[in-house]
Amino acid sequence: MDWEPLRQQLEQIFKGSVRLSKWTWEYWLNRVDSEDKDKGTPTKSIVEEDQLVFFVHKDAQDALVLLVSAQGVTLAERQLVELMLETRRLQEKKNTSSTSEEERKAAMVKDWFKQQQELGLVHAEMPDTLVSQLSLYSTKIPLLLYGDYSQSQRVSYQELKKLLESFFDTEMILIPLMDKEWLILGSEKMLSIDAADERDNGDEESLEDTLAAIGFGLHAMLENEWIGECHLAIHYPILPAKSLYASVLQLRETIMLGRTYHVGSNMHLPWSLQLEKLIHQIPEADKTSFLERVLKRLDVALDSETMTTLEHFFRIDCNVSETAKKLYIHRNTLLYRLDKFKQETGLDVRTFNDAVLVKIALLLYKVTKRK
């Protein structure tokens, strides 16, 4: 707890300097014993060399204390400060207990997930005891967060949870799973807030668009306000009691596919990775054979400029004019690049069948080239 605001408040009350200091716990106990024996004053504060010393709280083997000149301080004022500090200590203890209880419940879910993984299960329903512990009966929106921070960095459960609840302005459930991996469960309220914004603009979004907006917004906040680079995946709303375990496995797969086939992307959407999921299951030998058949002059045809051009072309649904605008080039320049690619490979991406073949080949090429 930050005690600095209270110190500043006391300075205004006493019209003088108030210092925060640390004494060893043993020294504090000795001074308290001395005060009790000699003067019988309360142990929440003592007099030390014309200074009033107020006990703030115990910090490991130290005692955090406040020091203020004893001159002019009445007994009533002294007792009032003691009461203020005692109230703050009780609040701190309450918050700590609440945090510990939240983390204890989250740890129970973490252990259950680990047990299902060790059993090699793909689907598993959560036991009622766990569902009731975290009140997982209502529909939730699951997000999986993986932090690309170093091993030396430590992420506080309570700080991350507070950050999430501040961002969404609603209560969130946070469950640490594996190292650097966090499961976030939000209420359907997140959807209604975003939908209300869209209605104000006169637009209607699909569920996928709304979820994507939530994910991209959260990812931007986490990278700026939290701990830097991270990966995030979001899932359709679910009933946790029935499908939370399977949803987490799907979210893990989504992040894996996104990191494999779209290097540089940090926000991963399962409905945008259907083709990647399909081709990922193809044996490596078959992938190589496919590339050799489809793109015989592989390295010549797929230089960095051509790769960028094709990726934008496919992303904008093979629209020549829009792709040219996106690339800031003349329409004829784009047509020249596509014609050149056709001459080198025999594939015209302006036709449906060839576009499908090249799209698959691009995904495979990026993966096999890195390997």
Side-chain angles (χ1 to χ4, degrees):
M1 183 177 287
D2 185 6
W3 296 91
E4 180 61 21
L6 179 61
R7 185 196 68 77
Q8 295 174 358
Q9 182 182 359
L10 291 177
E11 281 190 334
Q12 294 177 355
I13 294 174
F14 291 124
K15 309 294 184 190
S17 174
V18 177
R19 292 190 299 112
L20 271 170
S21 183
K22 275 189 178 182
W23 288 3
T24 66
W25 183 244
E26 183 179 1
Y27 182 77
W28 168 256
L29 290 179
N30 288 337
R31 295 302 298 126
V32 167
D33 289 343
S34 174
E35 193 84 0
D36 282 343
K37 292 173 183 175
D38 296 344
K39 300 179 182 178
T41 54
T43 58
K44 296 172 185 176
S45 67
I46 61 172
V47 178
E48 174 90 352
E49 298 179 354
D50 298 327
Q51 285 190 316
L52 270 173
V53 184
F54 292 96
F55 173 67
V56 178
H57 78 145
K58 185 180 180 183
D59 183 10
Q61 297 304 311
D62 295 321
L64 185 66
V65 295
L66 281 168
L67 300 137
V68 61
S69 173
Q71 186 176 0
V73 179
T74 66
L75 178 61
E77 290 173 331
R78 179 175 175 176
Q79 292 174 338
L80 177 61
V81 173
E82 290 173 352
L83 180 61
M84 289 173 62
L85 291 170
E86 178 66 17
T87 302
R88 290 288 294 270
R89 280 195 296 273
L90 290 173
Q91 183 62 43
E92 183 182 36
K93 184 176 180 181
K94 180 181 178 181
N95 291 341
T96 302
S97 299
S98 175
T99 299
S100 299
E101 182 64 14
E102 286 176 357
E103 292 193 61
R104 184 190 67 80
K105 292 177 181 178
M108 291 173 62
V109 177
K110 174 183 177 180
D111 292 340
W112 179 80
F113 265 89
K114 185 178 179 180
Q115 291 170 6
Q116 311 318 301
Q117 283 183 263
E118 290 173 348
L119 292 171
L121 299 179
V122 178
H123 297 281
E125 289 190 17
M126 296 184 70
D128 289 338
T129 51
L130 286 182
V131 175
S132 60
Q133 286 278 342
L134 289 174
S135 301
L136 296 177
Y137 295 105
S138 61
T139 300
K140 302 292 183 185
I141 299 172
L143 302 100
L144 192 65
L145 169 64
Y146 181 82
D148 262 346
Y149 46 85
S150 67
Q151 294 289 351
S152 60
Q153 292 175 290
R154 299 189 64 184
V155 177
S156 164
Y157 174 94
Q158 192 62 19
E159 287 178 4
L160 178 55
K161 188 171 187 293
K162 183 178 179 181
L163 185 62
L164 293 169
E165 292 180 337
S166 174
F167 180 76
F168 287 113
D169 193 26
T170 187
E171 186 176 351
M172 306 292 288
I173 296 173
L174 181 64
I175 302 171
L177 295 177
M178 297 194 299
D179 185 36
K180 304 182 184 181
E181 184 186 60
W182 304 80
L183 174 62
I184 303 164
L185 297 174
S187 69
E188 287 185 295
K189 179 183 176 182
M190 297 192 302
L191 292 175
S192 60
I193 292 173
D194 192 82
D197 293 339
E198 292 302 321
R199 284 194 296 273
D200 291 341
N201 295 328
D203 298 325
E204 286 292 335
E205 277 194 332
S206 66
L207 175 59
E208 287 82 1
D209 290 336
T210 303
L211 291 171
I214 292 171
F216 279 107
L218 176 59
H219 179 266
M221 184 277 291
L222 289 171
E223 287 213 332
N224 292 326
E225 304 292 337
W226 186 43
I227 204 160
E229 187 172 351
C230 59
H231 289 268
L232 189 69
I234 190 168
H235 197 281
Y236 291 108
I238 62 165
L239 285 173
K242 298 291 184 182
S243 56
L244 183 60
Y245 179 74
S247 298
V248 169
L249 296 184
Q250 291 172 20
L251 286 169
R252 284 175 176 168
E253 180 185 52
T254 297
I255 291 180
M256 179 276 294
L257 291 171
R259 298 185 72 172
T260 301
Y261 292 96
H262 300 282
V263 176
S265 176
N266 295 76
M267 181 64 222
H268 311 290
L269 307 170
W271 50 87
S272 298
L273 296 167
Q274 299 290 352
L275 183 58
E276 290 82 348
K277 180 177 180 178
L278 181 64
I279 66 175
H280 192 72
Q281 301 173 32
I282 301 173
E284 292 301 319
D286 292 339
K287 292 177 184 177
T288 304
S289 176
F290 174 83
L291 284 174
E292 291 174 351
R293 291 196 312 273
V294 174
L295 297 177
K296 296 181 176 64
R297 299 176 62 185
L298 202 60
D299 293 321
V300 175
L302 289 179
D303 56 79
S304 59
E305 181 182 82
T306 304
M307 289 274 285
T308 301
T309 300
L310 292 173
E311 286 175 350
H312 279 83
F313 186 63
F314 292 140
R315 194 174 299 133
I316 309 176
D317 298 326
C318 301
N319 186 303
V320 173
S321 298
E322 292 301 318
T323 303
K325 290 179 183 178
K326 190 71 175 179
L327 292 171
Y328 300 102
I329 60 176
H330 194 275
R331 187 175 187 275
N332 290 342
T333 302
L334 175 60
L335 291 173
Y336 169 78
R337 292 181 185 178
L338 298 180
D339 286 337
K340 181 184 175 184
F341 181 78
K342 179 182 177 181
Q343 291 171 6
E344 293 176 341
T345 63
L347 297 167
D348 185 356
V349 293
R350 285 165 290 188
T351 64
F352 177 77
N353 286 340
D354 285 358
V356 172
L357 288 175
V358 174
K359 171 66 176 178
I360 295 173
L362 277 179
L363 292 172
L364 293 176
Y365 177 73
K366 287 186 288 185
V367 175
T368 56
K369 188 176 180 181
R370 287 201 303 272
K371 290 180 180 178

